[in-house]
Amino acid sequence: MKFATLTPADVETYDFQFKSVDPTWPLDKLKADRPGKWELSFVLWDHVPIAYCVLTRHERFGTVHIGNLAVHPDFRGWGFGDRVMREAVRRGAQSVKVDIANTRAQKLYIRHGFCVTGLDNGYLLMTGGRSSDAAVV
């Protein structure tokens, strides 16, 4: 298995596999262009996508935001989420919005040094990563 930069071509070629990793996140969101997205985002490959992390750069604050982090259901509980989080933090991730009902994701982010800093329409705002003074997006 290896990490590779996520590209628009990957999303087009493997759209079915990406959809099966996280069926709640529409593919048009995954394909949408955002600041820094194609330079920062990555996928964990083993012939097919096992997990991916969409990272974007907040232009105003210069911080890196986790837009989506997903592990294929067949590979959950094997430590791939932790592996992807370590890579996300290595690439500069500093903030994320998490559905308030998604306690599994909240625990993952907390394990990697993120903490709740606010609430926005049913989403927890969490900051952490490389900078303790990360701006909330």
Side-chain angles (χ1 to χ4, degrees):
M1 285 184 219
K2 65 177 182 166
F3 287 114
T5 300
L6 180 64
T7 68
D10 293 333
V11 177
E12 289 296 326
T13 304
Y14 296 97
D15 64 348
F16 177 77
Q17 287 92 341
F18 280 109
K19 186 66 177 166
S20 67
V21 172
D22 183 3
T24 65
W25 218 53
L27 279 175
D28 60 328
K29 272 189 151 182
L30 184 57
K31 294 175 184 178
D33 200 18
R34 300 285 312 256
K37 178 178 178 178
W38 302 115
E39 295 82 32
L40 296 167
S41 300
F42 60 94
V43 61
L44 179 61
W45 290 101
D46 186 20
H47 307 305
V48 295
I50 301 298
Y52 66 85
C53 184
V54 174
L55 298 171
T56 58
R57 189 175 323 283
H58 191 282
E59 291 179 318
R60 183 171 160 207
F61 299 110
T63 57
V64 176
H65 178 74
I66 299 172
N68 188 267
L69 186 154
V71 177
H72 191 286
D74 292 347
F75 296 94
R76 292 182 186 155
W78 294 34
F80 292 114
D82 286 311
R83 194 169 166 186
V84 169
M85 263 310 293
R86 284 191 298 275
E87 181 66 13
V89 170
R90 189 189 73 72
R91 291 178 184 229
Q94 297 171 295
S95 66
V96 65
K97 286 184 180 182
V98 183
D99 188 309
I100 203 161
N102 192 344
T103 57
R104 188 174 192 165
Q106 293 169 35
K107 290 175 185 175
L108 173 70
Y109 296 121
I110 289 168
R111 276 197 313 273
H112 290 274
F114 283 66
C115 61
V116 176
T117 55
L119 186 64
D120 180 28
N121 290 331
Y123 288 88
L124 296 175
L125 305 174
M126 300 181 78
T127 60
R130 289 187 165 187
S131 172
S132 59
D133 60 318
V136 177
V137 249

